[in-house]
Amino acid sequence: MRVNDETASDHGALELADGLARIARDASGPLGGDPTLGELLEIIGWAFPEGSDAVDGSFATPLRFKAGLKPNKRYAVATASRVAELGDAVFTDTTDLLADAVAGLAADQAPVTPERFSAVLLEALRSGRVPLADVEGAAVARLAIEPPKKSVKLTPGDILAIPAAAGGHHVAVVLIRNRFGTALGLFRGTSRLPRTAAALEAPLPHPVYTDEQPVKTGVWRLIGHDESLLARFPADPEIYHKPRRRPGVDDTGEFGAAETADGTLRFIDADEAQAVGLAEGTYRQTLLSPLLEKYLDERAA
């Protein structure tokens, strides 16, 4: 774990504290009160400008923090996070604030490391200028950025953030892993914070099978787990075949057929062929990950 054992100067800490105080006030309306320490750190973790030239390249959003309180107590969030209720504006403003903060730090000594950033953030919190719902800022004694997990084994209900070319993220939920690949349930649009409630309100009608390479490399990030989302999609997603065009099969019907992973074939009617895009030739359900990213970007444009 990266621990802030480096001594950071006071440069930028008070400016950062004042900026975080504004962010906390802006968030307090949608949240129904001041954010908790955990919620503020969650906002910072998602909004951190990891692509900034001022940082050393070892940051990977969403940053995950581990905090300690005086005298020697680990900070634990006592209530469910309300961050998902926030709109994108809070995260955009936080990104701008943090980009200015790391640029200022880099002007003194570049590049900015996770240790240095967490040290300055700790100073900002301890200033007492940032309103928090559950702890006093002065009570925060330690702050660390946890390293990203090295390996991820996906399970149904896992929520993935897929970077969008225009900024923000596409959101997907893992449905099942079988011989076709990994089935993802997809949601419309993009969001600065993929886990917002709004980002999960509009599922696309048909799951897509793809590979897990971007998950292994960390490009697609596991951001949560919610098995209740599975009910919005088919439990055993099918793939579709064009009429009479499946190799090794004599007949796939007049309008096409759908197949489950166990090999069960089901003829479809004209309405279903039209609905999935099979009749028009726009059907897409098995896509390599780079093509899936392109497909999602085109839909969001």
Side-chain angles (χ1 to χ4, degrees):
M1 178 175 296
R2 299 179 179 275
V3 182
N4 55 315
D5 53 4
E6 296 181 357
T7 300
S9 70
D10 291 335
H11 179 77
L14 293 181
E15 290 85 351
L16 179 58
D18 289 339
L20 290 175
R22 291 192 298 272
I23 297 299
R25 287 193 295 270
D26 290 344
S28 65
L31 296 181
D34 291 335
T36 64
L37 173 61
E39 288 169 335
L40 182 63
L41 293 175
E42 187 177 347
I43 294 169
I44 292 170
W46 275 110
F48 188 83
E50 64 174 319
S52 169
D53 292 337
V55 301
D56 71 355
S58 64
F59 293 87
T61 55
L63 305 183
R64 301 187 187 280
F65 294 90
K66 184 176 181 179
L69 306 177
K70 294 180 179 179
N72 189 24
K73 180 181 178 181
R74 180 174 180 174
Y75 172 77
V77 180
T79 57
S81 173
R82 301 166 292 173
V83 170
E85 304 304 320
L86 295 173
D88 283 358
V90 170
F91 299 95
T92 300
D93 292 345
T94 306
T95 297
D96 291 342
L97 170 67
L98 298 178
D100 289 343
V102 296
L105 292 173
D108 288 342
Q109 181 181 352
V112 177
T113 64
E115 292 84 359
R116 190 166 176 226
F117 174 71
S118 62
V120 173
L121 177 57
L122 176 60
E123 287 187 53
L125 294 172
R126 287 177 53 79
S127 71
R129 300 187 181 194
V130 185
L132 299 171
D134 56 345
V135 298
E136 294 292 333
V140 183
R142 297 171 301 281
L143 193 64
I145 297 175
E146 299 188 65
K149 294 181 179 179
K150 296 297 183 182
S151 61
V152 176
K153 184 176 181 180
L154 296 179
T155 60
D158 283 345
I159 302 170
L160 299 177
I162 301 174
H169 300 80
H170 306 289
V171 183
V173 59
V174 177
L175 303 179
I176 196 170
R177 303 166 79 203
N178 57 35
R179 69 183 181 90
F180 294 147
T182 299
L184 301 181
L186 306 173
F187 295 85
R188 288 185 173 86
T190 60
S191 178
R192 183 80 187 183
L193 178 70
R195 194 58 178 90
T196 58
L200 302 176
E201 286 178 355
L204 292 173
H206 305 292
V208 170
Y209 281 99
T210 190
D211 59 272
E212 298 182 11
Q213 186 60 28
V215 178
K216 296 176 182 177
T217 59
V219 176
W220 296 1
R221 293 187 181 141
L222 177 62
I223 60 169
H225 185 87
D226 187 350
E227 294 184 14
S228 70
L229 296 175
L230 300 178
R232 301 189 183 188
F233 300 93
D236 190 7
E238 300 166 308
I239 62 171
Y240 287 87
H241 302 286
K242 294 179 180 179
R244 303 182 182 87
R245 293 184 183 178
R246 184 180 173 220
V249 174
D250 293 333
D251 188 10
T252 53
E254 180 181 358
F255 303 104
E259 181 186 8
T260 55
D262 65 2
T264 301
L265 203 65
R266 175 180 64 84
F267 292 162
I268 64 174
D269 59 21
D271 290 341
E272 186 171 358
Q274 183 71 30
V276 301
L278 201 63
E280 299 175 350
T282 58
Y283 164 74
R284 298 288 185 274
Q285 196 166 14
T286 302
L287 293 169
L288 293 176
S289 50
L291 296 179
L292 176 56
E293 293 174 352
K294 182 179 179 181
Y295 167 75
L296 291 172
D297 286 335
E298 289 173 348
R299 287 196 63 105

